[in-house]
Amino acid sequence: MAGKYPVSPLAPAAFPALPVIRGASFATVAAGVRYAGRTDVMLARLAPGTTMAGVFTKSSTRSAPVLDCQAKIGGDGDAGAAIVVNSGNANAFTGRNGIEATRAVTSAAAAVLGLPEDRVFSSSTGVIGEKLPAERITAKLGDLAAVLDEGKIEEAAKAIMTTDTFPKGASAEVMIDGQVVRIAGIAKGSGMIAPDMATMLVYIFTDAAVERPVLQDMVSTLSDLTFNCITVDSDTSTSDTLLMAATGASGVRVTEGNTAFIEALRGVMLDLAHQVVKDGEGATKFVEIHVSGAPSDADARTHAMAIANSPLVKTAIAGEDPNWGRIVMAIGKSGAPADRDLISIWFGDVLVADKGWASADYKEADGAAHMKGQELSIKVDLGMGGGAATVWTCDLTHGYIDINADYRS
Amino acid sequence: MAGKYPVSPLAPAAFPALPVIRGASFATVAAGVRYAGRTDVMLARLAPGTTMAGVFTKSSTRSAPVLDCQAKIGGDGDAGAAIVVNSGNANAFTGRNGIEATRAVTSAAAAVLGLPEDRVFSSSTGVIGEKLPAERITAKLGDLAAVLDEGKIEEAAKAIMTTDTFPKGASAEVMIDGQVVRIAGIAKGSGMIAPDMATMLVYIFTDAAVERPVLQDMVSTLSDLTFNCITVDSDTSTSDTLLMAATGASGVRVTEGNTAFIEALRGVMLDLAHQVVKDGEGATKFVEIHVSGAPSDADARTHAMAIANSPLVKTAIAGEDPNWGRIVMAIGKSGAPADRDLISIWFGDVLVADKGWASADYKEADGAAHMKGQELSIKVDLGMGGGAATVWTCDLTHGYIDINADYRS
């Protein structure tokens, strides 16, 4: 539960100053869903004309709010939209009660805001398998609607935290046809983080005008290059949701293939993804793993993820041990092609293994020196082809056990 | 390194009294491969007429001794055979040096014992990526050959340990045509344990006479039901090897489909597999996970392994937390089919989740009571079909981090 554990040593110095996204306003409240003494519900109101896109968990046991979002995300409508998020209870594996609780929240928000119900999206994050006390949320919606404010995005980032030790935000500004377009995003997530989906709760807002199919293509494509390239513990949430809202309030239209906008959005998404890893439960090291020389990009990714998810690699990193034998082990078990005698491995810029065996010039002190850093780089070249991939992870420490062997917050 | 960590709380009270397997004799020595003050090389001599079978790691980065065993295992020969095993150094990812070191050991053993070199099998276990000091092993082979003894199998079990906290042995006797046939096996392994292969070092001996192809079929089939159904940390060694030797010294011939022998062998293999899990690095709980009601046995196994390998499930078990939401999460992420609203979950005999939601009768105190035990059972019924699978694992504790964040033994 937020506040119970010390702030991650990898946390940014401060929450970034996020720009106002015209057309997106926020409010938060302490509704007592589960936590006491903190905000746990956030409402975001998106102006009329907003387009919405989303990426969701592929879990076969996904939660009622995720199923509800998926049913609604393809819809259009000029009335605007809203997002309601609660922390403390995931409303997952709650049977028919889950559907009813989701409907109670979204229909109440629709009534309060004068929106069609199918334009209200909701997320729930926290404990699985307990009935969501929807009435605690619905009772506060009138109060929330009354205090919506375009300047309150940081408060929104705080209200959605669970085991997170810091709120996560990122932003970008892009010049398009001489006019400024802004993007701001918030995220939560620190455990149950693995790719193959949006990986956590992420909400991104822009004042650009982007048609729905274009916006959806952008977030789907960029998710695969950002959120789907991170892993904390290989576990996959039932609730992972990324929603993006384009309010159009800047009056600037962004069309398919707008490289400047796509790059700016990618930057925001990658920044948020990295922050999630840096708040990985118990994390003390941020690790970039780059695999090249694979027969294909997909093979490179398989190897990179095998390394990133290996408990033996992650504990060696925690122990600042340049144990490259475990990297070899992880490559061997990944299932993707590898030729033992062609593999080279670097810790940072230190060549550790050179085509199948310890490099002649390698001194363990050099590898160990790199491992003492807080941001580490592990590079592997398979010597087989042109496929490459980069993924990000953190170490596996006593902190992860502490948090998860007693978590039920 | 052996002796550095306390004996697993799940260890058997004592090493079992293993029967003598006529035709199989053992010797051990402290060769100083890496460890000081303990035995680290074992030699097993198998009498003329012995047949051999083996199962090996599928890792694409497997070690030189594994490759050497695989090249030899299909051969026949009446001269007998030998097995040489060292602990402390895996002779893996050692390039051409690895092949040379393996050849040095096996050819020296062949010369000392008067065997063809292709009847000498070797294994190496320990650190990856360091050159094996073969000369320390070959220097001791004469001494070892001089003290070979059919009663020294327990000493052999001790010499092959690395991070193991107890030696592992199991045995069975079978009556076949009114005559007794004996099986005895030893194993090592406690980390880098995951299925998809033999999973560790295992040596099994019988005085039955079994033709090579029959013996190979038996160990291949039974490995899939025993060693390939356990996982400690999802990591897969480069060195996993199972060798079985049938000396024929009992004079009793065992042929294809001999149910009594197969069941006895299965019992020995399952016992050893369970002991490996019970010596899982840092383990405090032994967990059986049974999944039924899947569309196929393979789907059931996929779900069971997703549960068994989930860090969040394993830390919850360590914390004695009946956190069934994490079971649901693991099922959801496994990739095999599941229908959220048909899933039922039991902790022991306590029905926790009933077709998609918390059972009406479930009291958390009942689930929590089961989790306090040392041997736990988690059952899942998917309500979809007739597929079932059982796997075994252990919890994930601070002990695992302690051992692996500073291991380089």
Side-chain angles (χ1 to χ4, degrees), chain B residues 21-24 45-54 72-83 115 118-121 203-219 242-250 252-255 261 265:
Chain B
I21 306 297
R22 281 170 296 159
R45 173 76 163 93
L46 291 319
T50 295
T51 54
M52 299 286 300
K72 292 172 174 174
I73 196 69
D76 270 316
D78 280 339
I83 304 170
L115 286 170
D118 66 2
R119 300 298 288 161
V120 180
F121 302 87
Y203 306 98
I204 304 174
F205 308 91
T206 179
D207 54 11
V210 195
E211 287 186 12
R212 214 201 67 75
V214 175
L215 192 67
Q216 184 63 53
D217 274 1
M218 286 178 180
V219 297
L242 180 153
L243 289 172
M244 181 157 180
T247 68
S250 67
V252 181
R253 184 152 297 278
V254 167
T255 51
F261 186 82
L265 179 56

Side-chain angles (χ1 to χ4, degrees), chain A residues 91-400:
Chain A
N91 192 19
F93 209 62
T94 44
R96 200 161 44 79
N97 282 279
I99 301 163
E100 288 166 4
T102 300
R103 193 166 300 148
V105 169
T106 57
S107 66
V112 164
L113 298 170
L115 286 170
E117 192 182 332
D118 66 2
R119 299 298 290 161
V120 180
F121 301 87
S122 78
S123 306
S124 296
T125 177
V127 174
I128 298 174
E130 295 189 8
K131 190 177 170 180
L132 179 70
E135 68 288 354
R136 297 186 198 167
I137 300 168
T138 55
K140 299 287 187 183
L141 288 169
D143 296 351
L144 285 165
V147 296
L148 284 162
D149 183 330
E150 289 184 343
K152 295 291 186 190
I153 192 169
E154 181 174 350
E155 283 69 15
K158 289 176 179 167
I160 63 176
M161 292 163 67
T162 56
T163 54
D164 303 66
T165 71
F166 62 88
K168 298 163 188 74
S171 67
E173 289 190 353
V174 206
M175 289 297 287
I176 294 177
D177 300 334
Q179 289 184 279
V180 176
V181 163
R182 296 182 174 84
I183 304 170
I186 58 174
K188 66 83 45 180
S190 64
M192 217 180 265
I193 299 294
D196 196 21
M197 63 188 53
T199 315
M200 70 224 103
L201 301 187
V202 184
Y203 306 99
I204 304 174
F205 309 92
T206 179
D207 55 10
V210 194
E211 288 186 11
R212 214 200 67 73
V214 175
L215 193 66
Q216 184 64 53
D217 274 1
M218 287 177 181
V219 297
S220 296
T221 302
L222 293 175
S223 283
D224 283 341
L225 300 172
T226 55
F227 296 113
N228 287 346
C229 293
I230 64 171
T231 180
V232 167
D233 58 8
S234 82
D235 275 340
T236 292
S237 166
T238 55
S239 305
D240 297 331
T241 296
L242 179 154
L243 289 172
M244 180 157 181
T247 67
S250 68
V252 180
R253 183 151 299 278
V254 167
T255 51
E256 199 179 346
N258 185 314
T259 314
F261 186 82
I262 289 169
E263 271 309 296
L265 179 56
R266 194 179 80 89
V268 169
M269 290 169 72
L270 194 60
D271 189 345
L272 291 172
H274 285 184
Q275 288 188 50
V276 170
V277 174
K278 289 177 177 176
D279 205 8
E281 290 170 342
T284 68
K285 310 269 188 190
F286 177 76
V287 190
E288 177 170 293
I289 296 168
H290 180 72
V291 174
S292 60
S296 70
D297 287 354
D299 290 330
R301 180 185 160 83
T302 299
H303 285 300
M305 275 294 173
I307 297 166
N309 279 323
S310 160
L312 287 171
V313 170
K314 292 162 84 82
T315 47
I317 293 167
E320 302 186 338
D321 178 357
N323 192 327
W324 56 278
R326 294 184 182 175
I327 309 281
V328 175
M329 174 280 300
I331 294 166
K333 77 162 182 171
S334 79
D339 181 333
R340 192 190 56 178
D341 295 335
L342 297 176
I343 299 170
S344 298
I345 300 170
W346 292 257
F347 288 142
D349 294 325
V350 181
L351 177 63
V352 178
D354 189 9
K355 296 189 179 64
W357 199 36
S359 163
D361 298 330
Y362 176 59
K363 297 181 204 66
E364 181 148 319
D366 297 338
H370 180 73
M371 301 305 279
K372 290 195 184 304
Q374 209 168 50
E375 304 221 348
L376 307 183
S377 155
I378 298 173
K379 284 179 283 188
V380 172
D381 191 273
L382 296 167
M384 301 175 81
T390 305
V391 306
W392 296 272
T393 191
C394 57
D395 53 345
L396 173 59
T397 69
H398 286 295
Y400 185 84

